[in-house]
Amino acid sequence: GFCSSNSVFYSKRKPLPLPQNPSLDVTTFISSHAHHGRIAFIDAATGNHFTFHQLWRAVDAVASSLYDIGIRKGNVVLLLSPNSIYFPVVCLAVMSLGAIITTTNPLNTAAEIRKQINDSKPRIAFTIPPLASKIAAASPSLPIILMEADTSSSFPSAVTTLSRMMEKESSSSRVKERVNQDDTATLLYSSGTTGPSKGVVSSHLNLMAMVQIVLGRFNIEEGQTFICTVPMFHIYGLVAFATGLLAAGATIVVLSKFEMHDMLSAIERYKATYLPLVPPILVAMLNNADAIKGKYDLRSLHSVLSGGAPLSKEVIEGFVEKYPNVTILQGYGLTESTGVGASTDSLEESRRYGTAGLLSPGTQAKIVDPDSGLALPVNRTGELWLRGPTIMKGYFSNEEATASTLDSEGWLRTGDVCFIDNDGFIFIVDRLKELIKYKGYQVPPAELEALLLTHPDIADAAVIPFPDKEAGQFPMAYVVRKAGSSISEKEVMDFVAKQVAPYKRIRKVAFISSVPKNPSGKILRRDLINLATSK
Ligand code: AYL
């Protein structure tokens, strides 16, 4: 059976072969799936596009150019950009050199980007002209490569442009450094189960295993068209649109950001078949279903993918009723599992409303009782632990966080509360970890608490998730005022809003006399969540 006597759950999906050659990089692996003349990427707004052939030529040219300016295996390259057809070119070129790509949310403030720069120490950054000033403010000496021609102003730190790099003829002078499967490919930031954001070290093997999982999920022989509106800087978008779906030969229509009208007209114009989303966009599509159906021809669409945050039963049921010809496919995963850890891949599997699906091929699970530490059998609820070829190597230069997240046998503590039913389907029922998910974006409470404590009127603070129909959750702060202070809710919210990206803003404040903590000083968040939601 899929659940053994030691309470390890094994994937019920067909195992997928991993490449055997120990020195193989993920870019070479993906490009070995040739799709020649087919279109890889289309910019939804301009119609600019790349065939697969043009894509791989561009990747090779950019890799050669990076090599020429001194980028080598192990160097970190920062990418700060909204979605574009060039985003994957940069990622693939960097990884093909054995260099490491670190992405960041374009909404982040200069101070937030500075933290990531200080931690990951990139040698160079790719960005678009409107965002270059953020990098310059975060790190004035970091060289910048502009991803679009700069028409307005010029940046002293800009060394070249991506288009110039892409024009480079393939050079034979480049010594191809040996890249091993175990070498680091990506460094995406996640707060994990506790504390501030940390660099998640994913190897070429991790990414190749994820490519195989994506290939197994979508059988794309006939050619399918995907809409890319979820961010490519996040693991969800990265493993789909910059790696996995390229191996599958899908055509990807890229939107620079989410905008409902643009997304729906792109589906109509390009006859898209697959639409990967985060739950808040499904909620919006449900709430406006009648108007949408009157205005756009969505007949080409056969699947909407939902991942990154929980999708409620009510939304699934409503969506199925309003869009009867569209199948909702679920994906569950973490940055730390380099993407999809479980998924539903067919209408039949998705009919089990509320499930996150079956374990990905090659992935194992345990359900661990948080109190006793014992692994539990089917239908019992506990913390989900995952093991397999997609699990990260660890957090970047943070042994303590790594040790408390990965055990010696390679199990990843997900911080999600789940059970697995008799047929192997995973149900996510709660979140044990601190993480707040606002519209699918990660908001680490510890970062906001640290910021609140810098306010002269605040003695102590705790930040918790508050449930919200549209966003999923938003950050709420419990604040202890200093003696004599009369700081208001609005002042607290404004203080934070000025210093963080908009998705991290605190949207509700309550004052208390002290923050409940356990004897070792850990905030009793569950008590505060109960307090916040009981009225
Ligand atoms: P991170 N249902 C419930 N919670 C989810 C789900 C889901 N389907 N997916 C993710 N989460 C929560 O690192 C959960 O708490 O990556 C998990 O621990 O930003 C946390 O989000 C991880 O957040 C896909 C689908 C990649 C999902 C992903 C992972 C994206 C989230 C590719 O196809």
Side-chain angles (χ1 to χ4, degrees):
F2 68 94
C3 181
S4 69
S5 54
N6 57 355
S7 294
V8 174
F9 295 89
Y10 294 90
S11 173
K12 296 179 80 177
R13 299 204 188 280
K14 199 169 112 248
L16 299 165
L18 294 172
Q20 292 304 303
N21 179 358
S23 64
L24 181 65
D25 68 88
V26 65
T27 303
T28 303
F29 179 64
I30 296 168
S31 66
S32 70
H33 298 76
H35 302 286
H36 302 295
R38 198 178 278 175
I39 290 176
F41 289 106
I42 308 174
D43 181 316
T46 62
N48 286 348
H49 58 270
F50 282 142
T51 62
F52 278 92
H53 181 76
Q54 291 167 328
L55 169 72
W56 294 120
R57 275 202 47 177
V59 168
D60 189 52
V62 174
S64 292
S65 307
L66 282 170
Y67 189 87
D68 285 353
I69 57 174
I71 299 300
R72 294 290 180 272
K73 182 174 161 178
N75 291 166
V76 174
V77 176
L78 176 73
L79 174 52
L80 174 73
S81 170
N83 288 350
S84 82
I85 63 174
Y86 304 110
F87 194 111
V89 172
V90 173
C91 295
L92 292 161
V94 168
M95 295 191 296
S96 77
L97 291 171
I100 300 163
I101 190 88
T102 189
T103 56
T104 193
N105 190 334
L107 296 172
N108 284 348
T109 63
E112 288 162 340
I113 295 166
R114 184 180 306 127
K115 275 195 214 158
Q116 186 169 335
I117 289 175
N118 288 344
D119 190 66
S120 61
K121 302 187 176 57
R123 291 276 311 270
I124 201 159
F126 282 87
T127 195
I128 58 169
L131 292 173
S133 57
K134 260 193 207 181
I135 294 186
S139 176
S141 60
L142 184 64
I144 290 174
I145 299 166
L146 292 173
M147 295 167 73
E148 289 161 11
D150 183 19
T151 46
S152 53
S153 58
S154 68
F155 294 91
S157 50
V159 290
T160 184
T161 63
L162 184 67
S163 57
R164 226 172 290 150
M165 290 180 128
M166 289 193 302
E167 281 159 16
K168 189 176 159 50
E169 288 298 317
S170 180
S171 79
S172 50
S173 66
R174 172 156 69 99
V175 192
K176 183 112 172 69
E177 275 176 285
R178 191 189 170 93
V179 180
N180 295 313
Q181 290 204 15
D182 194 43
D183 289 332
T184 303
T186 58
L187 194 55
L188 270 51
Y189 277 70
S190 164
S191 62
T193 56
T194 183
S197 273
K198 296 168 280 287
V200 172
V201 177
S202 288
S203 67
H204 287 262
L205 169 64
N206 293 153
L207 283 155
M208 288 190 278
M210 188 51 57
V211 167
Q212 291 291 65
I213 288 168
V214 173
L215 282 171
R217 262 193 106 182
F218 308 108
N219 199 352
I220 301 183
E221 265 146 42
E222 258 114 283
Q224 299 288 345
T225 300
F226 282 70
I227 298 286
C228 169
T229 186
V230 299
M232 292 183 184
F233 72 80
H234 184 258
I235 193 70
Y236 182 5
L238 189 86
V239 298
F241 303 115
T243 56
L245 291 172
L246 299 177
T251 294
I252 297 164
V253 178
V254 181
L255 290 111
S256 63
K257 58 178 190 332
F258 169 70
E259 210 282 310
M260 188 62 96
H261 164 73
D262 294 347
M263 180 183 86
L264 297 167
S265 31
I267 297 170
E268 177 173 311
R269 182 157 3 115
Y270 297 102
K271 298 197 168 35
T273 51
Y274 283 92
L275 179 62
L277 298 176
V278 287
I281 307 182
L282 274 94
V283 173
M285 281 182 76
L286 172 59
N287 292 343
N288 301 298
D290 296 330
I292 289 171
K293 291 198 296 183
K295 217 165 145 201
Y296 304 92
D297 177 359
L298 304 181
R299 277 175 301 177
S300 61
L301 194 63
H302 64 66
S303 295
V304 167
L305 283 75
S306 176
L311 187 64
S312 74
K313 195 173 165 179
E314 295 69 52
V315 175
I316 299 173
E317 282 170 349
F319 198 94
V320 169
E321 197 185 306
K322 291 287 184 187
Y323 300 92
N325 299 320
V326 178
T327 300
I328 299 180
L329 300 178
Q330 278 263 13
Y332 159 81
L334 304 87
T335 309
E336 287 81 353
S337 66
T338 321
V340 199
S343 62
T344 61
D345 294 0
S346 67
L347 181 61
E348 278 58 50
E349 291 176 7
S350 293
R351 283 223 171 93
R352 293 173 194 252
Y353 287 148
T355 184
L358 295 173
L359 288 169
S360 293
T363 302
Q364 303 167 12
K366 279 202 281 194
I367 300 290
V368 177
D369 183 324
D371 299 321
S372 69
L374 293 175
L376 301 169
V378 290
N379 294 323
R380 296 276 304 277
T381 300
E383 187 186 9
L384 175 71
W385 291 18
L386 293 174
R387 183 164 74 176
T390 68
I391 302 302
M392 66 165 180
K393 299 208 305 180
Y395 291 114
F396 184 62
S397 59
N398 192 335
E399 273 170 43
E400 200 186 321
T402 303
S404 60
T405 306
L406 285 175
D407 78 3
S408 60
E409 295 177 334
W411 289 102
L412 170 78
R413 296 183 164 91
T414 66
D416 292 311
V417 182
C418 305
F419 69 88
I420 298 182
D421 76 6
N422 289 315
D423 300 317
F425 286 85
I426 297 184
F427 291 81
I428 300 163
V429 295
D430 199 1
R431 200 177 286 149
L432 207 62
K433 56 186 164 188
E434 293 172 5
L435 178 65
I436 299 169
K437 277 273 171 120
Y438 177 82
K439 297 190 174 171
Y441 291 129
Q442 285 205 2
V443 183
E447 279 178 20
L448 297 176
E449 286 157 3
L451 198 56
L452 287 167
L453 291 178
T454 65
H455 193 287
D457 281 5
I458 294 178
D460 204 356
V463 174
I464 56 158
F466 193 84
D468 180 73
K469 273 215 154 57
E470 256 127 57
Q473 306 179 316
F474 59 70
M476 169 185 179
Y478 275 101
V479 171
V480 181
R481 289 189 185 110
K482 278 202 182 144
S485 159
S486 57
I487 185 172
S488 69
E489 281 105 336
K490 186 168 182 308
E491 283 168 315
V492 171
M493 289 194 268
D494 290 348
F495 175 74
V496 172
K498 271 190 290 191
Q499 302 180 69
V500 300
Y503 66 93
K504 289 186 187 166
R505 283 182 191 161
I506 286 172
R507 287 159 205 271
K508 190 177 167 71
V509 175
F511 294 101
I512 41 171
S513 54
S514 69
V515 172
K517 290 182 185 165
N518 75 3
S520 60
K522 234 183 122 193
I523 297 170
L524 296 171
R525 289 171 201 280
R526 183 58 50 184
D527 292 0
L528 289 173
I529 292 170
N530 292 341
L531 179 66
T533 50
S534 65
K535 355 186 178 148

